[in-house]
Amino acid sequence: MNKVLVAYFSATGTTKKVAEKLAKATGENLFEIKPQVEYTSEDLNWNDKKSRSSVEMNDEFSRPEIENVVENIDDYDTVFVGFPVWWYIPPRIIQTFIEKHNLNGKKIITFATSGGSGIKGSTDFLKKNYSDLNIIEGKRFGWNESLESIGAWVEKIKKF
């Protein structure tokens, strides 16, 4: 891996904790994908079909606006993209991030947090929707993942 960016979206702070450890393990830059309008706990109520997250996830064309972009995206060779798994796929804001940045020619390595869903469905979804990009399946982490285990994973994936 050459120049690396760790980009992440975190609605509740869980993915943020993993992303911070990943940035520390790689010694590289961290970038938070911030929604223009923050998510409230009511927005995240997946049991409510009218909640913001439910509405977004049920609309394949939904692209929640982001507050910021990576100004120097061309400087990076590898971009880790992290997110919580929603409805077995990445939140729609990840699609916003991908579509707002030129990621052609970069390694995009996914990482996710979830209480039970794996990362394969999320990575397959991204590969299907962005088949021109080099998307590599990463790993799903638990909420209490240690810096040591994340560092060991980074050493393993350096071979890609």
Side-chain angles (χ1 to χ4, degrees):
M1 291 188 288
N2 294 322
K3 186 111 168 131
V4 175
L5 177 67
V6 177
Y8 71 94
F9 165 69
S10 186
T12 63
T14 303
T15 306
K16 178 180 181 174
K17 289 176 187 170
V18 172
E20 290 172 340
K21 291 175 186 175
L22 181 55
K24 191 170 188 174
T26 61
E28 297 291 346
N29 295 322
L30 185 64
F31 178 81
E32 182 178 4
I33 302 166
K34 293 181 182 180
Q36 250 183 9
V37 177
E38 291 292 324
Y39 288 87
T40 66
S41 57
E42 292 82 20
D43 291 336
L44 300 172
N45 182 357
W46 58 274
N47 287 313
D48 179 358
K49 291 181 181 187
K50 293 181 182 180
S51 74
R52 178 176 165 198
S53 59
S54 296
V55 170
E56 288 175 0
M57 295 307 290
N58 284 318
D59 178 0
E60 67 181 281
F61 300 107
S62 176
R63 298 295 183 274
E65 287 296 320
I66 57 178
E67 184 177 292
N68 52 352
V69 295
V70 180
E71 297 296 334
N72 59 336
I73 195 73
D74 291 340
D75 293 352
Y76 297 98
D77 304 303
T78 301
V79 180
F80 285 91
V81 177
F83 48 84
V85 177
W86 290 3
W87 288 263
Y88 307 103
I89 61 174
R92 300 289 182 196
I93 197 167
I94 296 302
Q95 290 177 273
T96 305
F97 174 80
I98 290 171
E99 292 168 12
K100 295 251 183 204
H101 294 86
N102 179 6
L103 300 176
N104 289 317
K106 301 180 186 315
K107 277 188 211 169
I108 302 162
I109 303 171
T110 60
F111 70 97
T113 56
S114 172
S117 299
I119 193 169
K120 183 170 179 27
S122 292
T123 304
D124 289 349
F125 173 85
L126 292 174
K127 285 180 176 183
K128 177 183 171 202
N129 285 280
Y130 304 99
S131 59
D132 56 326
L133 298 179
N134 180 19
I135 298 173
I136 299 167
E137 183 176 320
K139 184 173 178 175
R140 180 190 66 83
F141 293 100
W143 64 271
N144 62 347
E145 201 71 37
S146 72
L147 177 59
E148 293 75 23
S149 68
I150 291 173
W153 175 67
V154 168
E155 288 304 312
K156 242 195 249 184
I157 62 168
K158 281 184 179 179
K159 299 171 189 167
F160 285 109

